[in-house]
């Protein structure tokens, strides 16, 4: 199963006659656009032409069956495509009725703008033509646009998955560098404690038992080794990276799970930095957190 992004765009158009019984009747273009961006949940909004408002439940059912997360905006509209020469002549009765309505409006609202020629043509056409049933055409358009949107989201999801896998590989390389550093630091610190013990023994001139001083030095070295041991953090980090790779290969609705794992990665990188006793480990921790933050930005767009 593929990984899907929550970002995508698709559109579709369909030509249809306003009045199929009239050979020279103007055409209208039914258009539909779907835009999608990231969101924690599925958030649908609709901007539909007046004749299409009744189709919102149908559109909502189509979208919820295919999409699980994202802020999705659906816009459906009409556009005239016929030329003015093909427009029907308004009947005198319709023109008289529009004039009467305009006079009534002017009597109550003197500042209202007068009807333009385009207003008259639109209103006369709307009044003379029966209301068309666009449900089948709109459903067909929505299905096609939704298919294109899913394809776009899948294509973007593939890119996001490839980017995340690349960051996973870089994190593994950094963890591999961090692993051998801890034993080296422990050994270096043990040598420093032993040197301090020898210096202390020289200054004490026999007033302190050698066994006691040596035990104290070894105890401090052991405590230091425990304090800077990051084996558990590296093990958990490797486990989280394994799970991320598994989810990306599995696909489907993995965005929320990935977001949780990114938080866990950040926690382990922070702990690694807090336990750091050398610049090398500190630099590795910082580099890890940069990569993890880049992953977080990508994961925010995954469904």
């Amino acid at each position: 199963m593929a990984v899907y992004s929550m970002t995508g765009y698709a559109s579709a158009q369909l030509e249809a006659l306003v009045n199929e019984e009239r050979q020279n009747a103007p055409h209208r273009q039914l258009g539909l656009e779907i835009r999608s961006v990231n969101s924690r949940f599925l958030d649908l909004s609709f901007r539909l032409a007046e004749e299409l408002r009744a189709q919102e439940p149908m559109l909502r059912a189509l979208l919820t069956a295919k999409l699980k997360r994202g802020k999705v905006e659906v816009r459906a509209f009409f556009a005239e495509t016929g030329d003015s020469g093909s427009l029907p002549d308004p009947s005198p009765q319709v023109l008289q009725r529009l004039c009467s309505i305009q006079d009534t409006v002017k009597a109550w609202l003197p500042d209202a703008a007068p009807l333009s020629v385009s207003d008259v043509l639109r209103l006369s056409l709307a009044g003379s033509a029966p209301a068309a049933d666009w449900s089948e055409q709109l459903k067909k358009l929505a299905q096609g646009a939704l298919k294109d949107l899913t394809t776009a989201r899948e294509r973007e999801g593939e890119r996001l998955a490839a980017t995340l896998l690349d960051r996973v590989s870089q994190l593994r390389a950094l963890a591999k560098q961090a692993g051998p550093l801890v034993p080296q630091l422990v050994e270096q610190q043990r040598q420093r404690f032993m040197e301090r013990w020898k210096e202390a023994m020289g200054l004490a001139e026999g007033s302190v038992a050698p066994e006691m001083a040596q035990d104290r030095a070894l105890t401090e070295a052991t405590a230091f080794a425990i304090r800077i041991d990051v084996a558990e953090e590296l093990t958990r980090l490797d486990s989280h990276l394994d799970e991320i790779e598994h989810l990306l290969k599995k696909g489907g609705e993995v965005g929320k799970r990935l977001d949780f794992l990114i938080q866990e990665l950040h926690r382990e990188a922070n702990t690694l930095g807090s336990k750091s006793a050398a610049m090398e480990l500190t630099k590795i921790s910082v580099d890890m957190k940069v990569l993890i933050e880049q992953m977080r930005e990508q994961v925010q767009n995954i469904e």
Side-chain angles (χ1 to χ4, degrees), residues 137-190:
Q137 293 94 323
L138 185 61
K139 183 176 181 179
K140 180 180 178 181
L141 276 185
Q143 290 172 336
L146 188 55
K147 182 178 179 181
D148 291 342
L149 178 71
T150 302
T151 300
R153 286 166 57 124
E154 180 180 357
R155 188 165 53 246
E156 177 66 11
E158 290 177 357
R159 187 190 68 79
L160 293 176
T163 300
L164 289 172
L165 289 173
D166 176 68
R167 300 300 185 272
V168 166
S169 177
Q170 294 183 51
L171 285 171
R172 289 194 188 279
L174 289 172
K176 190 175 181 180
Q177 295 174 26
L181 288 177
V182 176
Q184 295 175 14
L185 292 171
V186 171
E187 180 59 26
Q188 292 173 7
Q189 194 65 20
R190 191 185 71 83

Side-chain angles (χ1 to χ4, degrees), residues 85-251:
S86 64
L87 289 174
D89 294 332
S91 67
Q93 293 82 2
V94 171
L95 293 176
Q96 185 177 8
R97 177 61 178 161
L98 290 175
C99 185
S100 174
I101 293 173
Q102 178 175 244
D103 291 342
T104 302
V105 172
K106 281 285 190 179
W108 287 92
L109 302 171
D111 296 331
L115 290 172
S116 65
V117 174
S118 61
D119 292 334
V120 171
L121 291 175
R122 176 173 54 81
L123 293 172
S124 61
L125 182 62
S128 61
D133 181 8
W134 297 93
S135 57
E136 289 302 319
Q137 293 94 323
L138 185 61
K139 183 176 181 179
K140 180 180 178 181
L141 276 185
Q143 290 172 336
L146 188 55
K147 182 178 179 181
D148 291 342
L149 178 71
T150 302
T151 300
R153 286 166 57 124
E154 180 180 357
R155 188 165 53 246
E156 177 66 11
E158 290 177 357
R159 187 190 68 79
L160 293 176
T163 300
L164 289 172
L165 289 173
D166 176 68
R167 300 300 185 272
V168 166
S169 177
Q170 294 183 51
L171 285 171
R172 289 194 188 279
L174 289 172
K176 190 175 181 180
Q177 295 174 26
L181 288 177
V182 176
Q184 295 175 14
L185 292 171
V186 171
E187 180 59 26
Q188 292 173 7
Q189 194 65 20
R190 191 185 71 83
Q191 292 293 337
R192 292 194 189 99
F193 282 131
M194 295 306 296
E195 290 173 1
R196 288 170 54 189
W197 167 70
K198 292 177 182 179
E199 292 176 2
M201 291 300 299
L203 294 174
E205 296 180 350
S207 61
V208 179
E211 294 80 3
M212 185 181 298
Q214 186 176 23
D215 289 344
R216 177 63 181 273
L218 292 176
T219 300
E220 291 185 11
T222 302
F224 174 79
I226 294 173
R227 189 169 65 252
I228 71 167
D229 183 22
V230 294
E232 290 186 11
E233 285 74 16
L234 293 177
T235 299
R236 286 195 296 266
L237 188 140
D238 187 63
S239 175
H240 297 329
L241 294 178
D242 286 342
E243 182 64 14
I244 289 174
E245 285 186 331
H246 170 72
L247 289 174
L248 291 175
K249 292 175 182 177
K250 174 186 174 184

